[in-house]
Amino acid sequence: MKKPTVVSGIRPTGYLHLGNYFGAVRNFIRMQNDYNCYFFIADIHSLTTHPTPENLQAGVKQVLAEYLACGIDPEKATIFIQSDVPEITELYTFMNMNAYLGELERTTSFKDKARQQPDNVNAGLLTYPVLMAADILIHKAHFVPVGKDQEQNLEMARKFAKRFNRIYNSEVFPTPKPFTFDGADMIKVPGLDGSGKMGKSEGNAINLYEDPKAIRKKVMRAVTDAGPTEPNSTKPEPVENLFTLLKIVSTPDVVSHFDAQYNDCSIRYGDLKKQLAEDIISYTEPIRTRIIDILHDDEYLAKVARMGAEKARESAAKTLNEVKGLIGFKRLF
Ligand code: ADP
Ligand code: TRP
């Protein structure tokens, strides 16, 4: 039986944080044995925020090293840089012809970004979900492991895939589905500032590359409240968020220990935070050590990128040829 195909990417806009890891990369690692995987660095997507050439290059190198340090194996999965595969941007051009202004303007990610960067509401931002769809469809992906925040973009990719199939009366694209293990919900890792998700642009993130001292400092500063006064009361959002993080990185007995203390009002948030910081460090420290090693090895990084580009282009070219045939680009000479 042929393995189902998986595609996912991350923008190289800084260090990978716990949200990226638990929302996406951890699933990449678990999937690479049983699926035909393409994991890439979305450097073209990152241009919507106008990085300098130096920042762009450093970001790509960092994410590549971090993918490898987390345990993505270039022999098992295809790891590549988006801009190394021009077939993606060609498919993006075609997909743009069937993506409508109204639906693009209505996506929440576009509205959020337009609010965050009102002086730079560029067309790339508007057609961001089209490029993302091209990333996914160029390899005919069946599954896309992403965090909860990408749900709507993925919904758009499904819509564009079905629409293309319908217009050209074909079944060229499978309908890509979000992926989580064991039917779990898509995950949203909260930030340390009391509300919302952990994110690079939110400034509330703990990076995998962070040293233990910085992790302790950030966690100890996380927003809480004065503590429960009534037994078994519901947790306010900042406290709930700390428990969510604890559930992600700690063992179930640690979580129930602090839960019980919360419920009988004996909890001391300082103790919970200390435990949380140490459990985060056990996750990140081995990864950090490997990131440092790999970042020194330019030759290895270049080899991985070259190998990945070659494999990704082979798969991409096949799809693009089929698509061009369907559209009606026939060779006249
Ligand atoms: P960021 O949101 O920090 O800018 P990206 O948008 O490049 O990072 O996200 C890359 C991947 O990480 C996506 O699959 C996204 O869903 C996931 N991700 C990012 N932040 C979180 C989070 N807080 N919780 C769960 N998944 C997340
Ligand atoms: N939009 C995604 C994010 O910001 C990154 C991304 C680009 C992506 N292309 C993709 C994710 C294709 C999955 C599949 O998180």
Side-chain angles (χ1 to χ4, degrees):
M1 257 265 290
K2 236 179 116 204
K3 292 177 177 177
T5 298
V6 173
V7 171
S8 194
I10 296 186
R11 291 170 302 135
T13 48
Y15 301 113
L16 293 192
H17 53 71
L18 295 180
N20 299 136
Y21 184 77
F22 289 105
V25 179
R26 189 175 53 164
N27 285 344
F28 298 0
I29 300 154
R30 289 178 67 187
M31 294 181 90
Q32 63 185 344
N33 292 315
D34 305 323
Y35 296 84
N36 173 30
C37 293
Y38 294 88
F39 300 130
F40 68 98
I41 300 166
D43 56 347
I44 305 179
H45 274 108
S46 75
L47 298 183
T48 56
T49 55
H50 298 172
T52 63
E54 293 74 26
N55 284 346
L56 180 65
Q57 215 197 353
V60 170
K61 183 177 170 186
Q62 184 73 27
V63 176
L64 182 57
E66 295 191 325
Y67 272 175
L68 295 165
C70 286
I72 304 177
D73 180 347
E75 300 292 334
K76 293 180 180 163
T78 302
I79 307 174
F80 68 98
I81 300 163
Q82 189 183 29
S83 61
D84 280 343
V85 183
E87 289 80 4
I88 297 172
T89 35
E90 201 171 337
L91 180 60
Y92 163 62
T93 303
F94 301 147
M95 301 306 287
N96 265 327
M97 307 304 168
N98 299 311
Y100 295 100
L101 184 60
E103 62 189 347
L104 295 172
E105 277 175 338
R106 274 194 301 276
T107 59
T108 40
S109 57
F110 174 70
K111 287 192 275 187
D112 286 349
K113 289 281 174 312
R115 213 173 305 124
Q116 279 166 17
Q117 48 184 72
D119 300 328
N120 180 21
V121 186
N122 57 66
L125 217 46
L126 183 73
T127 58
Y128 185 108
V130 187
L131 180 56
M132 181 160 157
D135 293 328
I136 295 168
L137 302 177
I138 197 81
H139 299 298
K140 303 192 179 186
H142 303 94
F143 295 112
V144 185
V146 281
K148 178 97 182 137
D149 59 304
Q150 293 301 310
E151 201 170 19
Q152 194 183 26
N153 280 339
L154 195 50
E155 196 48 54
M156 302 286 282
R158 293 159 65 81
K159 198 196 261 187
F160 296 143
K162 286 191 208 153
R163 188 178 292 163
F164 188 93
N165 285 348
R166 188 165 28 77
I167 294 173
Y168 292 105
N169 196 16
S170 83
E171 287 180 10
V172 60
F173 297 129
T175 310
K177 293 189 189 62
F179 182 91
T180 55
F181 277 97
D182 312 319
D185 289 336
M186 293 170 92
I187 156 168
K188 180 183 111 175
V189 179
L192 294 169
D193 51 353
S195 69
K197 74 154 198 156
M198 181 177 288
K200 276 168 227 142
S201 36
E202 283 77 5
N204 60 4
I206 293 182
N207 301 321
L208 298 175
Y209 199 48
E210 208 101 50
D211 67 66
K213 225 172 108 192
I215 293 178
R216 290 193 188 101
K217 206 161 147 189
K218 283 190 176 177
V219 173
M220 294 317 281
R221 281 200 196 139
V223 174
T224 49
D225 63 1
T229 46
E230 297 277 323
N232 303 316
S233 47
T234 35
K235 301 182 183 86
E237 196 184 357
V239 177
E240 185 62 50
N241 286 351
L242 280 186
F243 273 89
T244 303
L245 283 169
L246 201 65
K247 274 182 209 141
I248 292 170
V249 296
S250 302
T251 53
D253 55 306
V254 168
V255 179
S256 38
H257 167 78
F258 287 107
D259 238 346
Q261 287 194 341
Y262 186 86
N263 285 334
D264 69 16
C265 303
S266 67
I267 193 161
R268 292 203 318 227
Y269 291 134
D271 295 344
L272 185 156
K273 287 177 174 178
K274 268 191 205 135
Q275 176 79 41
L276 178 60
E278 296 315 311
D279 290 340
I280 290 174
I281 291 165
S282 332
Y283 252 106
T284 53
E285 195 47 17
I287 299 176
R288 188 173 78 102
T289 317
R290 286 197 295 271
I291 299 172
I292 295 168
D293 280 349
I294 297 171
L295 277 175
H296 282 118
D297 198 346
D298 281 341
E299 218 171 289
Y300 176 57
L301 289 168
K303 193 178 131 201
V304 169
R306 223 178 304 119
M307 204 167 87
E310 205 176 295
K311 284 199 268 175
R313 285 200 72 177
E314 199 185 310
S315 150
K318 269 194 215 151
T319 310
L320 190 64
N321 264 335
E322 251 181 275
V323 165
K324 288 173 84 169
L326 286 168
I327 292 176
F329 292 117
K330 307 285 183 208
R331 284 181 176 274
L332 295 178
F333 50 86

